[in-house]
């Protein structure tokens, strides 16, 4: 395996990368340093422990698509070929042939996963979607294990605060909530956002319509959360403000 690794500023100087916590950025750099010559890493958790990083850092890298995960726990650096060019006499082909066969190299040198043909899904799996009370593969997580995220707690709290009747089982609603948990936010963060926006919008006839999951738990979630920290800080003479 080659002993040198390079990094492209086309990736590491983007707002998406720099907006991540420093611990997440550090994990990304260390994963790149320990990847094989095709960008695969099979000991992510070991590297996390080595540098004091957390599962949330890894999950954020996956959510932001800096890492592409596989079902067996293996990950690959999406922008590996953007960062690195390894000369033929130093290159050692990855041992993860099956996983590499699931990837496509785009014109911009980024890895993407091949689109799976789902037209031949097993009949029993399709029937399982409408058989209530039966264990089945969770559609959002792609895992055989039941999804343990507190969708119901989040939506019940929203309904309680706003008098609405949203369902926690909606696919779009679950997708938005899951995306925010994957970015490292907590159940308390969801409650805080609901409290902040309910206080602002509930009595506003024009804005109360936006007290809905797709708005509250969308891409502006972190901004809404920080509004609470700004308003909760004591007033400063020179107009100071709080940060997350």
């Amino acid at each position: 395996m080659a002993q040198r690794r390079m990094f492209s500023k086309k990736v590491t100087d983007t707002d998406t990368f720099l907006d991540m916590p420093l611990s997440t950025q550090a994990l990304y750099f260390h994963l790149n340093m320990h990847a094989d010559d095709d960008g695969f890493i099979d000991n992510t958790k070991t590297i996390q422990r080595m540098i004091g990083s957390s599962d949330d850092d890894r999950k954020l890298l996956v959510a932001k698509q800096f890492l592409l995960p596989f079902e067996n726990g293996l990950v690959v650096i999406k922008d590996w070929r953007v960062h690195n060019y390894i000369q033929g006499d130093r290159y050692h082909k990855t041992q993860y042939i099956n996983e590499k066969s699931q990837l496509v190299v785009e014109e911009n040198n980024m890895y993407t996963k091949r689109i799976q043909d789902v037209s031949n899904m097993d009949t029993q799996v399709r029937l399982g979607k409408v058989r209530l009370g039966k264990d089945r593969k969770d559609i959002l997580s792609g895992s055989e294990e039941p999804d343990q995220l507190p969708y119901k707690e989040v939506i019940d709290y929203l309904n309680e605060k706003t008098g609405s009747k949203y369902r926690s089982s909606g696919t779009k609603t679950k997708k938005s909530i899951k995306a925010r948990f994957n970015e490292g936010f907590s159940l308390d963060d969801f409650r805080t956002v609901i409290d902040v926006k309910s206080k602002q919008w509930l009595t506003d006839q024009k804005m109360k319509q936006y007290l809905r999951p797709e708005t509250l738990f969308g891409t502006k979630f972190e901004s809404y959360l920080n509004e609470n920290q700004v308003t909760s800080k004591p007033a400063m003479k020179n107009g100071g403000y709080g940060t997350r």
Side-chain angles (χ1 to χ4, degrees):
M1 184 173 74
Q3 297 301 306
R4 295 182 180 180
R5 296 291 183 244
M6 295 183 291
F7 295 92
S8 172
K9 293 173 68 176
K10 292 181 180 179
V11 177
T12 60
D13 272 7
T14 61
D15 286 344
T16 302
F17 185 85
L18 295 173
D19 281 346
M20 295 190 300
L22 291 177
S23 58
T24 308
Q25 296 180 37
L27 177 60
Y28 181 76
F29 286 121
H30 278 275
L31 290 175
N32 273 268
M33 293 302 298
H34 286 82
D36 68 15
D37 287 352
D38 283 304
F40 289 88
I41 309 110
D42 64 358
N43 61 340
T44 307
K45 290 186 178 294
T46 299
I47 296 171
Q48 287 177 214
R49 290 192 293 270
M50 180 178 70
I51 68 171
S53 185
S54 69
D55 283 341
D56 287 339
D57 291 316
R58 173 178 49 81
K59 290 176 181 178
L60 183 54
L61 288 173
V62 171
K64 297 293 187 181
Q65 295 190 336
F66 288 103
L67 295 180
L68 299 179
F70 295 90
E71 292 182 358
N72 59 2
L74 193 70
V75 298
V76 67
I77 307 293
K78 178 181 176 67
D79 298 301
W80 178 257
R81 293 169 65 95
V82 178
H83 291 310
N84 292 280
Y85 170 74
I86 300 174
Q87 295 180 0
D89 59 341
R90 298 180 180 178
Y91 168 74
H92 295 276
K93 188 175 183 179
T94 184
Q95 62 180 309
Y96 306 109
I97 306 301
N98 180 55
E99 287 79 9
K100 189 176 181 182
S101 69
Q102 300 175 39
L103 301 174
V104 175
V105 179
E106 301 287 356
E107 291 183 1
N108 57 9
N109 268 338
M110 292 182 182
Y111 282 134
T112 59
K113 284 191 174 182
R114 294 182 186 276
I115 299 175
Q116 299 294 320
D117 182 4
V118 297
S119 61
N120 294 319
M121 290 176 63
D122 184 84
T123 303
Q124 294 301 318
V125 175
R126 293 198 301 270
L127 290 175
K129 294 180 181 179
V130 296
R131 292 174 61 188
L132 299 179
K134 300 294 183 180
D135 292 333
R136 66 185 188 275
K137 182 177 180 179
D138 182 79
I139 298 172
L140 290 176
S141 67
S143 169
E144 298 293 342
E145 297 297 324
D147 192 339
Q148 300 298 322
L149 293 179
Y151 301 111
K152 188 175 187 301
E153 288 89 336
V154 171
I155 298 303
D156 282 352
Y157 191 76
L158 173 62
N159 289 337
E160 177 186 340
K161 297 293 291 187
T162 63
S164 52
K165 296 181 180 179
Y166 290 108
R167 296 179 302 162
S168 60
S169 59
T171 301
K172 289 184 178 181
T173 294
K174 294 180 71 175
K175 184 176 181 179
S176 296
I177 293 174
K178 185 178 181 66
R180 304 292 79 79
F181 273 107
N182 282 344
E183 292 176 356
F185 295 104
S186 67
L187 179 58
D188 283 341
D189 291 333
F190 279 85
R191 290 171 175 157
T192 297
V193 167
I194 292 169
D195 287 341
V196 169
K197 304 316 288 184
S198 294
K199 184 176 180 180
Q200 293 177 356
W201 292 348
L202 193 58
T203 57
D204 187 321
Q205 293 303 311
K206 180 179 178 181
M207 299 301 296
K208 66 184 300 184
Q209 62 179 309
Y210 297 111
L211 290 170
R212 58 193 183 191
E214 62 193 89
T215 299
L216 297 176
F217 312 142
T219 56
K220 294 183 178 180
F221 184 88
E222 187 171 10
S223 296
Y224 295 154
L225 182 63
N226 276 288
E227 288 180 18
N228 176 65
Q229 300 191 33
V230 172
T231 56
S232 63
K233 291 284 185 179
M236 299 178 65
K237 291 183 179 180
N238 294 323
Y241 62 92
T243 57
R244 186 172 184 269

